[in-house]
């Protein structure tokens, strides 16, 4: 504001008494430079306000008063948990992959909820696994390295209401899927359901 006032006075002086035109250019340059600094400072200040794109909550805040946050994605200052969509992912070995299809029945048991099984169904089989990722590197990919056999991620949806149990995100569970398209697998599914319920009842035995 002081620089703008000085520029205005210099223009008025030139109009009245023939002041220096060079001084006017210098003060205009100074006003423009200071205005740009103010705009940059305002942008930096506005960037300090973090707005969530969806409903959720913040956990694990890693920044403390006095620390400086820098715009590097590899060093986040907090973790945001998105509550708009919660996915249940189960990992299956690759042998039964051809029998796991969208819409198949499934059952879920939780170690935190012993003696209970919950009905679910397969939403989709995810088309990629972490073992198929190739990171950019200056070295060529070699098959001499023994790659582990990864598990196939399968997204499921629990049909029963489990909201009353207040399970935290990341809770461990056991999932079984059933292919009921043939009579043979229907009989096997009955055995698997019995074994799953036996395993769920074993969770009552806990030693801390």
């Amino acid at each position: 504001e002081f620089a703008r006032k000085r520029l205005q006075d210099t223009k008025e002086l030139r109009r009245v008494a023939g002041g220096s035109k060079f001084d006017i250019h210098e003060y205009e340059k100074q006003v423009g430079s200071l205005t740009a600094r103010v705009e940059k400072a305002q942008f930096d200040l506005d960037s300090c306000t973090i707005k969530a794109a969806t409903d959720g909550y913040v956990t694990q805040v890693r920044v403390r008063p006095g620390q400086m946050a820098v715009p590097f994605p590899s060093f986040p200052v907090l973790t945001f948990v998105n509550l708009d969509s919660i996915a249940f992912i189960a990992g299956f070995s690759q042998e039964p992959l051809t029998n796991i299809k969208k819409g198949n029945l499934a059952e879920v048991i939780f170690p935190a909820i012993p003696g209970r099984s919950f009905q679910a169904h397969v939403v989709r089989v995810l088309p990629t696994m972490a073992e198929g990722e190739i990171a950019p590197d200056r070295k060529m990919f070699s098959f001499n390295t023994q790659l582990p056999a990864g598990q196939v991620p399968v997204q499921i949806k629990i049909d029963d209401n489990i909201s009353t149990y207040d399970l935290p995100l990341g809770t461990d569970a056991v999932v079984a899927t059933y292919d009921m398209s043939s009579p043979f697998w229907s009989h096997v599914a009955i055995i698997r359901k019995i074994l799953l319920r036996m395993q769920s009842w074993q969770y009552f035995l806990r030693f801390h």
Side-chain angles (χ1 to χ4, degrees):
E1 293 300 325
F2 176 74
R4 288 174 178 172
K5 183 65 170 59
R6 187 164 52 181
L7 174 61
Q8 182 180 357
D9 293 343
T10 305
K11 289 181 178 180
E12 182 66 19
L13 178 63
R14 176 173 174 79
R15 187 183 67 83
V16 176
S20 173
K21 187 177 181 180
F22 176 78
D23 291 342
I24 294 178
H25 292 328
E26 284 296 318
Y27 291 146
E28 286 177 345
K29 179 181 178 181
Q30 186 179 19
V31 169
S33 176
L34 293 174
T35 302
R37 291 174 59 184
V38 170
E39 291 177 354
K40 181 181 182 300
Q42 185 62 47
F43 174 78
D44 293 338
L45 182 61
D46 295 338
S47 299
C48 292
T49 302
I50 302 176
K51 296 182 179 180
T54 60
D55 292 335
Y57 58 89
V58 172
T59 181
Q60 297 182 7
V61 180
R62 302 174 184 87
V63 67
R64 293 294 182 269
Q67 293 180 331
M68 179 177 293
V70 293
F72 290 112
S74 57
F75 301 102
V77 297
L78 52 87
T79 299
F80 178 74
V81 180
N82 175 25
L83 293 180
D84 271 5
S85 60
I86 299 177
F88 292 90
I89 306 295
F92 291 89
S93 60
Q94 300 181 21
E95 289 82 357
L97 178 59
T98 56
N99 297 324
I100 302 177
K101 300 179 180 62
K102 178 181 178 180
N104 280 7
L105 299 179
E107 282 188 319
V108 184
I109 61 173
F110 295 93
I113 312 175
R116 288 291 309 272
S117 63
F118 300 93
Q119 299 300 312
H121 66 274
V122 175
V123 176
R124 61 171 175 161
V125 179
L126 300 184
T128 56
M129 295 186 297
E131 288 74 17
E133 179 183 11
I134 299 178
D137 196 356
R138 59 187 179 86
K139 298 180 180 179
M140 296 184 65
F141 185 79
S142 175
F143 286 97
N144 292 329
T145 305
Q146 182 65 33
L147 298 178
Q151 290 187 326
V152 180
V154 177
Q155 181 180 355
I156 66 168
K157 179 178 177 56
I158 300 179
D159 301 323
D160 294 335
N161 184 15
I162 62 172
S163 60
T164 57
Y165 296 100
D166 296 327
L167 295 175
L169 299 180
T171 301
D172 190 23
V174 178
V175 180
T177 64
Y178 308 114
D179 184 5
M180 311 299 287
S181 59
S182 65
F184 173 76
W185 291 116
S186 300
H187 292 87
V188 176
I190 296 176
I191 300 176
R192 184 67 182 96
K193 289 182 178 182
I194 295 174
L195 295 176
L196 192 70
R197 282 156 176 76
M198 292 174 59
Q199 183 176 356
S200 178
W201 281 97
Q202 290 177 356
Y203 291 141
F204 276 112
L205 300 177
R206 303 181 185 182
F207 301 95
H208 296 285

